[in-house]
Amino acid sequence: MEPRPRSFYILTAFFALFLLFLYGPTITIGILSFQGEGGGLTFPMRGVSTYWFRDLFEQQAVGDIWGSFSRSIVLGLMVMVSTIVVSVMGGLAFRKRFWGSGILFYLIITALVIPSILISLGVGLMFSQADLTVHWATSGFGAQLTWTLPFGLLIMFAVFNRFDKSYEEAARDLGASPWQTLRHVVLPIIAPSLIGVALFGFTLSYDEFARTLLTAGSYNTLPLEIYGMTTNVTSPVLYALGTLTTGFSLAIIGVFLTIALLGNRRRARAASDAGKGVL
Amino acid sequence: MQARPNLTGWLMVSPLAFVLAVFLLMPIILIAVVSFWTATEFSIVPAFSWENYDFLFGSSVTYRVFLNTFKYAAIVWALTFLIGFTVAYYLAFHIRTQTWQIAMFLLCTIPFWTSNIIRMISWIPFLGRNGIANSALLSWGVIDEPVEWLLFSDFAVILAFVHLYTLFMVVPIFNTMMRIDKSLIEAARDAGATGPQILWNVILPLTKPGIMIGTIFVVTLVMGDFITVRFMSGSQSANVGRLISNDIALLQYPSASATAIVLLATVLIVIGILLRFVDIRKEL
């Protein structure tokens, strides 16, 4: 290998600073959430305790954190499953040109770039004008899908653009029906990417604030609850909540990555050349 | 099945088309309609009047707020582009093994999965009056008393935007850079190009589509934002998103709708201009 140029070291320092910038604040509130009982929102630490975590679990004066948490999980799972199914179907359909595919493509791009508050406002207006009650599982669900579906579809477009069609041709030549080809050839090949779509779908929904603001109705999701807390809570209990939700997000990524790794290993056992690709 | 690709195609995209029609198209149409309605203190009244638009374009606040929105978008774009391009360039051209590239790339994406609001809160212990930045500057003797403008200022807003959205620049730029044929760079070097020349004449042009996609993301996210600006400026600055959310809080839906339509038109014009430079479908 040739020696590293000087620019390499400068850029490495830059990258390290960038990571510090990304992680620093979150790590800081992680530390500060273990603030002692009399401590405030900034350093110095007045001792180390789990007081604020206990506070979070016991005192429910600030709202319904656990209710909103479970609603966010259920909603996230609903959005995740719908995003996978709809994105795969959409991705398959877009491999061939069909009438109106151009218009639909631009709608997908529009959904991606439209300011979230417009979706919130529009869906809220639509439900109120139609005399329907807004609820996180109906209007909130639909509003979030306008955000997760474009992401899922973009991933599927990218996947199918790199998909080797000769596998399907081989299956067809061997007499597989279109459904069998899909079930036994296409889906297993794209499965690792589906984990990515699932991860996107779940976490985008789980963290979504703006599109749920006017569409969730009287029961808050977790981001709305956190938002409410930021306006009226000024104690490290806020940081404790931040630390817990960050920890939960990391656990979710961990679960998805483990599934992906296990899947890869299984494929590596079953076939000779599978699993050699990078995740 | 082969003979009727239209039918199968439509059957497969029907759930997608349904969601986009009901939760994207209809809301936009409704916002456009309601923007011509009038409002009393308690309800909105179907009508056809230019009142909301007259008020919007007649008020100097509107122009100031739009100007402020463009200012945020421009500054945040410039910063995220510089940081994003540098990070992507480092990962794509200076890291030699693919495993390391992907590991370091994942390291950049992890914070993205934490709630935006939490990530904004996490700046408080840094920027506050008694925060880390002020204590450090005090103890180094750079300043004599705490600086007030770190938190709840334009500075804090832009910092938070850069923190939240740089990743949206890194991902598409990294993605296009990874597809650049390395032999092109070797050819340029063999032909006698210096490092900066290669960067300017080879890598930058070939990375343009990724830059455009990142730009579209960052610009639209910043222009439509209302929570970051509210939170980080301590309600002292405004952008168009805040204008809309204030109207919504006051139940002034028609005037919120009019502002929303103007915002949408602005965003679509900006995207339209950016799309002239890149064919998104080809880049996927």
Side-chain angles (χ1 to χ4, degrees):
Chain A
M1 274 199 203
E2 54 186 309
R4 302 280 197 186
R6 196 164 54 117
S7 58
F8 170 79
Y9 297 99
I10 298 170
L11 285 173
T12 307
F14 184 86
F15 185 72
L17 278 178
F18 178 65
L19 285 186
L20 191 68
F21 172 64
L22 281 186
Y23 284 85
T26 322
I27 292 172
T28 312
I29 70 157
I31 297 170
L32 280 172
S33 61
F34 291 97
Q35 179 78 275
E37 209 177 313
L41 286 168
T42 49
F43 286 106
M45 298 279 284
R46 301 250 165 80
V48 175
S49 74
T50 52
Y51 175 82
W52 300 106
F53 288 95
R54 269 179 282 140
D55 199 46
L56 192 64
F57 280 89
E58 280 161 12
Q59 166 231 43
Q60 288 294 304
V62 276
D64 181 17
I65 292 170
W66 303 107
S68 60
F69 179 65
S70 57
R71 280 190 286 277
S72 275
I73 299 273
V74 174
L75 182 57
L77 291 174
M78 284 165 59
V79 169
M80 181 183 92
V81 172
S82 326
T83 306
I84 297 175
V85 174
V86 176
S87 306
V88 170
M89 287 169 72
L92 286 168
F94 267 94
R95 297 168 83 189
K96 294 197 189 83
R97 285 204 176 262
F98 53 90
W99 183 86
S101 60
I103 296 169
L104 201 58
F105 181 78
Y106 279 105
L107 263 186
I108 295 167
I109 300 297
T110 310
L112 203 60
V113 299
I114 191 170
S116 323
I117 194 167
L118 263 80
I119 299 286
S120 222
L121 173 66
V123 175
L125 274 175
M126 187 172 77
F127 271 64
S128 72
Q129 289 302 309
D131 262 335
L132 297 166
T133 323
V134 285
H135 189 273
W136 57 268
T138 55
S139 49
F141 175 63
Q144 291 195 345
L145 282 181
T146 60
W147 178 232
T148 59
L149 288 184
F151 272 101
L153 278 159
L154 287 188
I155 298 176
M156 290 326 296
F157 289 165
V159 167
F160 282 123
N161 272 354
R162 289 162 183 69
F163 191 87
D164 189 346
K165 286 205 170 92
S166 53
Y167 290 117
E168 282 169 285
E169 274 164 32
R172 250 201 311 280
D173 290 346
L174 290 168
S177 69
W179 171 247
Q180 283 175 322
T181 312
L182 182 69
R183 167 75 185 77
H184 296 290
V185 178
V186 179
L187 283 184
I189 293 177
I190 64 172
S193 323
L194 292 187
I195 293 171
V197 176
L199 190 55
F200 258 100
F202 183 85
T203 49
L204 284 179
S205 154
Y206 174 73
D207 284 339
E208 181 55 38
F209 171 77
R211 282 173 204 240
T212 336
L213 183 62
L214 295 173
T215 58
S218 34
Y219 295 103
N220 277 348
T221 58
L222 192 61
L224 297 176
E225 198 69 37
I226 295 174
Y227 177 69
M229 281 182 77
T230 59
T231 54
N232 56 34
V233 178
T234 47
S235 71
V237 74
L238 207 58
Y239 296 163
L241 184 62
T243 306
L244 274 189
T245 53
T246 304
F248 182 77
S249 301
L250 293 182
I252 294 276
I253 308 177
V255 168
F256 279 100
L257 279 183
T258 314
I259 296 174
L261 283 176
L262 287 179
N264 256 10
R265 199 169 295 164
R266 218 181 57 195
R267 290 201 310 171
R269 268 208 310 273
S272 60
D273 61 344
K276 281 193 184 146
V278 186
L279 190 71
Chain B
M1 188 169 156
Q2 289 294 347
R4 309 172 77 176
N6 274 335
L7 185 66
T8 14
W10 265 106
L11 276 178
M12 293 213 285
V13 292
S14 55
L16 172 69
F18 174 79
V19 170
L20 292 181
V22 174
F23 289 98
L24 181 72
L25 264 189
M26 273 171 64
I28 295 177
I29 294 170
L30 193 63
I31 291 175
V33 172
V34 171
S35 70
F36 292 103
W37 291 9
T38 53
T40 67
E41 230 165 287
F42 307 104
S43 63
I44 52 176
V45 188
F48 182 83
S49 99
W50 289 96
E51 195 183 307
N52 302 307
Y53 289 102
D54 278 344
F55 180 76
L56 193 63
F57 287 113
S59 157
S60 68
V61 174
T62 311
Y63 297 100
R64 267 211 315 278
V65 168
F66 263 91
L67 208 65
N68 210 29
T69 309
F70 285 123
K71 182 187 82 184
Y72 283 143
I75 297 174
V76 173
W77 175 80
L79 291 172
T80 52
F81 167 64
L82 285 176
I83 300 173
F85 187 88
T86 314
V87 168
Y89 175 80
Y90 173 70
L91 292 180
F93 294 109
H94 279 281
I95 304 301
R96 282 165 178 167
T97 64
Q98 204 187 18
T99 319
W100 271 104
Q101 274 176 336
I102 289 175
M104 288 168 96
F105 177 72
L106 282 179
L107 209 57
C108 295
T109 59
I110 287 172
F112 172 73
W113 305 105
T114 301
S115 156
N116 279 3
I117 300 176
I118 296 290
R119 286 203 281 158
M120 278 182 238
I121 296 169
S122 62
W123 280 109
I124 296 175
F126 265 89
L127 303 177
R129 214 186 127 78
N130 304 310
I132 295 174
N134 267 326
S135 330
L137 290 175
L138 278 173
S139 68
W140 292 339
V142 181
I143 49 172
D144 296 328
E145 50 188 71
V147 188
E148 298 284 351
W149 52 263
L150 286 179
L151 191 60
F152 303 140
S153 60
D154 276 356
F155 171 79
V157 173
I158 288 165
L159 187 73
F161 273 138
V162 173
H163 189 223
L164 294 173
Y165 299 143
T166 300
L167 187 72
F168 286 92
M169 258 319 176
V170 175
V171 173
I173 296 180
F174 178 64
N175 191 32
T176 30
M177 276 182 179
M178 290 293 276
R179 280 194 259 156
I180 294 177
D181 190 347
K182 294 281 190 293
S183 55
L184 288 174
I185 293 162
E186 266 167 45
R189 192 171 296 134
D190 291 347
T194 61
Q197 280 177 324
I198 295 175
L199 189 66
W200 186 255
N201 296 316
V202 181
I203 294 173
L204 197 65
L206 289 174
T207 316
K208 215 171 69 184
I211 297 172
M212 284 303 156
I213 293 174
T215 303
I216 289 173
F217 267 114
V218 171
V219 168
T220 52
L221 282 167
V222 171
M223 286 188 68
D225 175 273
F226 60 101
I227 162 83
T228 312
V229 173
R230 202 205 96 129
F231 197 88
M232 296 305 285
S233 79
S235 298
Q236 289 176 39
S237 301
N239 68 344
V240 186
R242 279 216 64 203
L243 217 56
I244 299 172
S245 78
N246 281 350
D247 274 344
I248 291 173
L250 297 169
L251 301 178
Q252 298 294 315
Y253 291 117
S255 92
S257 301
T259 317
I261 290 297
V262 178
L263 173 64
L264 181 64
T266 318
V267 168
L268 289 182
I269 290 169
V270 172
I271 304 290
I273 295 169
L274 290 173
L275 283 182
R276 307 234 105 190
F277 296 102
V278 54
D279 179 2
I280 287 195
R281 271 187 108 146
K282 236 168 57 189
E283 288 312 314
L284 294 167

